Amino acid sequence: MRTTLWPLSLGSLLTLGAALTGTSSEGDQGNLRLAHRQSTCDGVVLVRHQGEWGHLCNLEWTLAEASVVCRQLGCGPAVGAPKYVPLPGEMVRPWLHNVSCWGNESSLWECSLGAWSQRACPHEWVVVALCANGTFREIRLVKGHSPCAGLPEIMNVNGVDRLCGLHVEEATVFCRELQCGHALQAPRQDVGVSKYMTCKGTESTIRNCRLNNKLRGGCNLLLDAEVICSGHVEARLVGGEHSCAGRLEVLRGLTWGTICHADLDLPTAHVVCRELGCGIAVSTLGGAQFGQGSGPVWLEAFRCVGNESLLFHCPREPGHHCGHEQDAALTCSEFRLVNGSSDCEGRVELQVQGTWAPVCAANWDLADAMVLCHQLNCGNAVSVPPGGHFGDGDDLIWPDIFHCVGTEPHLLHCAASTLGAHGCVLGNTASTICSGLQDILRLRDGQSYCDGRVEISLDGSWGRVLDDAWDLHGASVVCRQLGCGEAQRAYDAPAPIFRRVPVGLSQVRCLGSETRLVHCNVSTSLLVPAGTLRDAGVVCSGSLRVRLAAGPGRCAGRVELFYQGSWGTVCDDAWDLQDAQVVCRQLDCGHALSAPRNAHFGAGTGHIWMDELHCLGNESSLWKCQSGSWGQHDCRHKEDAGVFCSESVALRLRGGTSGCVGWLDVLYNGSWGAVCSNALRDISLSIICRQLGCGDQGWLENRPSSGAGLGISWVDNIKCRNLHNATLWQCPSAPWNPHSCTQEEEVWINCEGTPQIALQDPAQTPNCSSPFGCLENSVLRVLGGEDGCSGRVELWHAGSWGTVCDDSWDLVDAEVVCRQLGCGQALAALGEASFGPGVGPVWLDEVECLGSEVTLEACQAEPWGHGDCTHKEDAGVRCAVKAQPSLCPTAPSLTPPSVAEVWKLSEIACLVLGCLLGIVFLVMIAQWCHIRDASMGAGMLGHLQSEGIYEDIEVDPVPKKEENTVSRLLMLEEGYDDAEEPEDQPTENDE
């Protein structure tokens, strides 16, 4: 799109110093022409008199006069009659004053012509005629959510031009011309500003408004908001577990409202899903299952055929009357199962921009299938047949690799590693068979699909299981029915988080030997007052899993195990690369690069589950390695083990003037390498800039590398797709290759945003020679404040930045953030997006810190990415100390206060004077000792001092100058290991 401001911006085209050529026709038509445009049917109206050309001087110029001009020139009817103020030096002398036409004249000379004279015109503008046979094609609003909202544009034969600086009068004309009603919002609200385009508000077309090129320089497209007309209609889903499920809300003009469930049919639901880029509708729900709305309930219903692209295009008719207790809701899915005997089995396909294609089976497993079955409301995953079981499909296979736990609400919420993946073997399409909804169980809101709150489907819809005396007998039946092993724990679970779920069973009494929960002694209706029974929760042995926490992504971090319903850590006694290798293989993270010890990623909390591990390296899981009993150890959390795997990835821009400009690098296999420019398009650049926290758009710059390359270029042919909350890691590309392209093809990116902190990525600092040197220190940041110690709280997780919800957010939580940032004491814990709404995922919700945690990630919270918040609820902090710029900050707890923070000026003077006196005194003592014992005194004194120092620091040797960054980091960790933990921290024996 060109950045010219208006198709009549004649300043760039008007070159009156050049020779003016008239039409070659004879007679009257030869004395009339349209000039200075790329078409002879558009432009400034010029007339010739006595052999000289001049323009018209008209106070009023309408479509009537322009129509006569266009008709006379054989250019069809007039489509616009604007007035134009040229730039200084572009003016020609007027010839004809005050032409007035009725509009039906065959030539301009039949109109009332006023006077022929070259006297000065009392106003600045010249008159313009736009004819149907000229360059104009249409006006439109773009980048909005309907044809009646967006940024105003004019489409011409030779391109598209953005309009700039429109106020309410201009927006009114635009909305009327588009038949979109009246204007509710204009791009600019400032009053008293001289405008580049000026309309009265009564014009029939925006092409009749006046243009002043002298004011064109003050037009700033970045300041413009959307035009929103009263006819605008837009849909959204609110309150669901993911962006493609929730209560249906419809925006009419500027007001959001709901619709009655009785007015939402499946064809309309499909159109809503298509409009939101969410594939197809899975189900429609009533009874305000995702909560009640707060605005009006619209009385006009949409009656879609089902093939419309937007809800805006659907026919409408009067709807039902209802209250918010009957608000409509629906769930959509970009995934589907096809070619099976039902909608709940078949080949797995993903829709991207309206096209369905199969997903590769190479890394598809039961946890991925479990998420998909729940997402499609098809129960649980029964099996994952081999690739191609339900046919190959006709389209190219998506190479997507999902790493689901099984609890995620949507497949696109699972960690992914599509970037760099090898192409799929022809015919190796993923398949899934789901159980359906008849008499099955599922566990929700847990840490795996084998623990959590029990729900049952009896009649095709999910219901809660409630009990006042839930025990291991009932839990055993649930675990057995789900194929999740033995019951380890029965507990009272909290109520559902996202939506209202009716009661399925209550007062369950099991012997423990039953094969299905419905075979126990149960009640299918509540027989006791509401609130006296609690949700049944279970932990099965199949819930055992491992994760890497507090690192830059899922493939680097502190080793944590989920055992018997709680997360705990692994002691670093005997921890080595073979142990780390098992973890990396188990998490599908490649091979182990290092096995850091001494709480390299910060001290964990809770149990220390394993100690003295002795893995061979080929075990399938960490708990199959030789070790002591669960929970038996002699460690503290300062000895927590960590892992760096080869599939740990990070992103940065290098070499620019800010963190939002530079060479694009990616960390892979422990080394930074370049990204190649081939196939990079706007959508890929947008995803990259957003992931770096640098705005929503970016562009490529052709910049020679000048020998500044890294010698490695990791990836080429990146082709990102328009997926919800997509990151670069979800983009298909050529396979990882350290020589993917030449240095001339490495990409330099400019993002539209500017960095608000020094580091935009956990591994963005090029000065850290080790790829691991700075990763763990920048997984937390604050944005939007006046310095690096106040702002919106953001966390780096699963390859992207996300925010924290303000639910339960308080000063104790803020204290942990300020300490982690090295910003002193917390002054305020702010909510409701006080520093502006963020972008990307809302990573944490219901954060409840004790205040002693080393990192925010160590606090109790809902699982990552599970929450019921939007970005208008983003949490923020304000800390006492301003951030000090640092390229590679050490952990806040290890950073000593600066001298200025500890000493006053008078104290510093006293300190310096005392040191000088001390030095003089020591010199005198040394001379006395030398006189007393010239032969050996000084040598013995030096020897004794050396031995004393060696005894004190033998566990923390002084590094040599040639040691690399990794060695220095390990040295710091040993020093940390030698430090005592605070006495008031609980130990395992205290629990």
Side-chain angles (χ1 to χ4, degrees), residues 665-677:
D665 294 336
V666 63
L667 176 72
Y668 177 73
N669 200 27
S671 300
W672 285 104
V675 173
C676 305
S677 60

Side-chain angles (χ1 to χ4, degrees), residues 530-678:
T532 59
L533 301 183
R534 300 187 180 97
D535 284 67
V538 303
V539 177
C540 308
S541 59
S543 64
L544 182 61
R545 56 177 287 240
V546 64
R547 72 180 181 188
L548 298 177
R554 71 176 197 91
C555 290
R558 180 177 59 247
V559 181
E560 294 190 351
L561 297 169
F562 186 74
Y563 177 69
Q564 291 188 344
S566 64
W567 285 102
T569 62
V570 174
C571 180
D572 65 6
D573 292 349
W575 184 254
D576 59 19
L577 205 61
Q578 288 177 295
D579 307 321
Q581 183 71 22
V582 175
V583 175
C584 293
R585 184 186 306 109
Q586 188 174 351
L587 292 174
D588 196 19
C589 283
H591 59 276
L593 297 177
S594 66
R597 304 165 63 182
N598 302 317
H600 183 80
F601 294 98
T605 58
H607 297 279
I608 297 176
W609 281 129
M610 303 187 84
D611 188 13
E612 295 289 350
L613 274 161
H614 296 284
C615 299
L616 299 176
N618 57 3
E619 292 87 350
S620 60
S621 62
L622 196 63
W623 42 88
K624 291 189 177 180
C625 299
Q626 181 182 345
S627 69
S629 301
W630 286 94
Q632 297 298 312
H633 64 88
D634 58 356
C635 301
R636 303 178 76 176
H637 280 297
K638 66 181 180 180
E639 300 170 82
D640 285 342
V643 170
F644 277 110
C645 303
S646 60
E647 295 293 321
S648 179
V649 288
L651 202 61
R652 72 180 182 188
L653 289 174
R654 167 181 53 87
T657 55
S658 74
C660 292
V661 178
W663 302 105
L664 179 64
D665 294 336
V666 63
L667 176 72
Y668 177 73
N669 200 27
S671 300
W672 285 104
V675 173
C676 305
S677 60
N678 298 312

Side-chain angles (χ1 to χ4, degrees), residues 13 25 62 85 87 186 213 234 249 301 341 363 461 479 482 582 751 780 786 804 832 865 868 889 983 986:
L13 300 171
S25 55
T62 69
V85 178
L87 290 169
N213 248 349
E234 175 186 345
E249 294 190 350
S341 59
N363 293 82
S461 61
C479 293
L482 288 171
V582 175
C751 296
L780 175 76
E786 59 272 14
V804 177
E832 298 181 347
D868 56 354
E983 293 299 329

